[in-house]
Amino acid sequence: MKNFNKPKKPRVFTRKSYYTALAVCTLMLGAACFGSYKQTEKKIGEELSSVVENQKTPVVTGKSDEQKTVNVAGVKPGVKKETKSPEQTKPAVTAKEEVHSEPRIEESPVRKYSIPVNGQIIQEFSGDELIKNQTTGAWQTHNGMDIAANPGDEVRAMYEGTVTDVLEDPLWGVTVVIDHGEGISARYCGLNKGLNVTKDDKVSSQDVIGAVGDTMDIESSMEPHLHFEVLKNGKYINPLDFINGRE
């Protein structure tokens, strides 16, 4: 009699066994990853520790024990680093140092001019205006001012200066020209021939330079007077602007 074995039934995986296998695989994969992660972490940690130690402790060769304990900042352990305030860091001023200050600007004194002879003004400066000359009858500008005075009255310098010319003008008579500085010059006309100054003399303010005369032909019909002219940089200006500090 033949022995017939019964065929085995194929193994059927149930849903329970499937999830069990899947869980086991997941645990094994996680364990492998964790182990790899820990090894990598340890290696990186060792490398970082080595870098930090190298930065903290410089390699010193041929130095004494005391020098080897100096840290990177150059300060010995246990010694407090001294700090200075901004005021202490400023350089001290020594006696040899020069203190520079702004140069002092000195104001020049006011130049005060005085009238050369005491008297009434009988003819003023006309500027560009034409006036009739009482002696010649011609219309012309009057470049100075006429100050009434008696013959022989003293004529004084209106300010200090240098006599630049002494002449006998055919129209204005005996004339003294004085350079009073700063571009100012004056002409004292109609003087007497007996003068107290000559060319190149230095005069002070109110020095007597001569006396009123009767030597002016161009204004001879007028009463005795001094014809007084003032020029600034070669241009005639009103003498009243310079008399008694009116500059």
Side-chain angles (χ1 to χ4, degrees):
M1 183 176 180
K2 293 181 179 180
N3 186 16
F4 294 96
N5 294 328
K6 293 181 180 181
K8 295 181 180 180
K9 294 181 181 181
R11 184 177 292 179
V12 179
F13 290 96
T14 64
R15 179 178 296 180
K16 182 177 180 180
S17 60
Y18 171 77
Y19 282 114
T20 301
L22 181 61
V24 172
C25 292
T26 301
L27 289 174
M28 293 177 64
L29 180 62
C33 292
F34 181 76
S36 177
Y37 166 76
K38 294 299 291 183
Q39 291 180 356
T40 303
E41 181 184 25
K42 182 179 179 181
K43 184 177 181 180
I44 293 175
E46 291 176 352
E47 291 179 355
L48 289 177
S49 298
S50 177
V51 172
V52 173
E53 290 299 328
N54 290 335
Q55 289 180 346
K56 287 184 179 180
T57 307
V59 177
V60 181
T61 58
K63 303 294 183 177
S64 63
D65 294 338
E66 182 181 357
Q67 291 175 327
K68 291 180 180 179
T69 59
V70 179
N71 59 20
V72 176
V75 181
K76 294 181 180 180
V79 179
K80 184 178 181 181
K81 186 176 180 180
E82 182 180 357
T83 58
K84 295 184 179 181
S85 64
E87 295 296 330
Q88 292 175 332
T89 57
K90 294 182 179 179
V93 179
T94 62
K96 294 182 178 180
E97 294 182 0
E98 295 183 0
V99 178
H100 296 281
S101 58
E102 293 294 331
R104 182 179 179 182
I105 301 177
E106 296 183 359
E107 297 181 357
S108 57
V110 178
R111 294 163 62 100
K112 293 185 178 180
Y113 302 91
S114 58
I115 193 165
V117 65
N118 293 323
Q120 182 180 358
I121 298 175
I122 57 179
Q123 183 69 59
E124 293 185 356
F125 175 79
S126 69
D128 296 331
E129 182 183 355
L130 299 178
I131 60 173
K132 187 176 182 178
N133 187 295
Q134 298 181 20
T135 301
T136 64
W139 290 88
Q140 62 188 51
T141 58
H142 193 247
N143 295 328
M145 69 178 184
D146 297 332
I147 307 172
N150 296 320
D153 286 351
E154 292 179 340
V155 178
R156 300 175 181 273
M158 74 167 185
Y159 194 72
E160 63 182 26
T162 303
V163 178
T164 58
D165 206 356
V166 175
L167 67 153
E168 291 190 27
D169 190 278
L171 296 178
W172 299 104
V174 178
T175 301
V176 173
V177 183
I178 301 178
D179 181 1
H180 293 291
E182 296 189 0
I184 303 298
S185 61
R187 286 167 49 90
Y188 304 79
C189 307
L191 302 178
N192 203 336
K193 291 184 178 181
L195 297 174
N196 294 2
V197 295
T198 58
K199 186 177 180 180
D200 297 328
D201 282 353
K202 303 290 184 181
V203 297
S204 300
S205 181
Q206 291 293 290
D207 278 357
V208 177
I209 61 175
V212 175
D214 56 356
T215 58
M216 283 188 297
D217 290 340
I218 193 171
E219 294 181 349
S220 58
S221 64
M222 299 174 62
E223 61 183 289
H225 66 277
L226 172 71
H227 180 82
F228 179 55
E229 298 175 350
V230 175
L231 297 91
K232 184 172 185 178
N233 298 324
K235 182 180 179 181
Y236 289 104
I237 59 175
N238 190 348
L240 285 176
D241 292 340
F242 287 80
I243 299 301
N244 296 328
R246 293 179 57 183
E247 180 185 11

